[in-house]
Amino acid sequence: MSERNPFGGTITHLSPAEVRQGLADGTILLVDVRETNEIQAERVPGATPFPLSKFDPSALPDPAGKRLVFSCRSGQRSQQAAAYAQKAGLPYEEHMKGGIIGWREAGFEVDRG
């Protein structure tokens, strides 16, 4: 269910389990907006890095029919990324609630190093 994004536009919260399932079945393109050093330390397997500090909505990867979902550390920057994308006229409003912290808390593995 979509709701008002505190950063502008709308946001739809997906649980880490929903994102994991979408990654597994190939229906989600997960875009990680954390910074390079954070992504190098640990990342959700299969996530595409796209740091928020260099965020350019026109350079977002083509989801090729998948749902583009933003993620970050805790769920704040991913909501900002969705707002920036929507301000640029893009339809992306989904993010992973809780970010990689929520992913780990759900017991899912991360890639390290």
Side-chain angles (χ1 to χ4, degrees):
M1 176 178 200
S2 295
E3 62 184 49
R4 180 158 170 62
N5 185 338
F7 299 100
T10 58
I11 194 73
T12 299
H13 306 285
L14 299 180
S15 71
E18 290 171 307
V19 171
R20 183 176 185 230
Q21 182 59 49
L23 288 169
D25 66 22
T27 59
I28 284 179
L29 171 65
L30 188 63
V31 175
D32 189 338
V33 298
R34 295 176 304 137
E35 297 307 311
T36 302
N37 63 317
E38 294 174 282
I39 293 169
Q40 288 173 344
E42 66 177 356
R43 65 200 159 280
V44 172
T48 299
F50 201 86
L52 190 64
S53 65
K54 300 173 186 170
F55 194 85
D56 176 1
S58 67
L60 280 165
D62 180 357
K66 298 179 182 181
R67 296 162 57 193
L68 190 147
V69 176
F70 294 107
S71 71
C72 63
R73 181 181 161 273
S74 65
Q76 295 300 308
R77 285 178 282 178
S78 56
Q79 291 184 74
Q80 288 179 312
Y84 295 158
Q86 289 171 45
K87 285 177 186 169
L90 299 170
Y92 309 133
E93 66 178 54
E94 295 180 300
H95 88 119
M96 183 168 69
K97 188 172 185 176
I100 197 164
I101 292 172
W103 180 269
R104 283 194 325 264
E105 287 175 351
F108 304 144
E109 292 187 20
V110 296
D111 288 339
R112 297 185 187 277

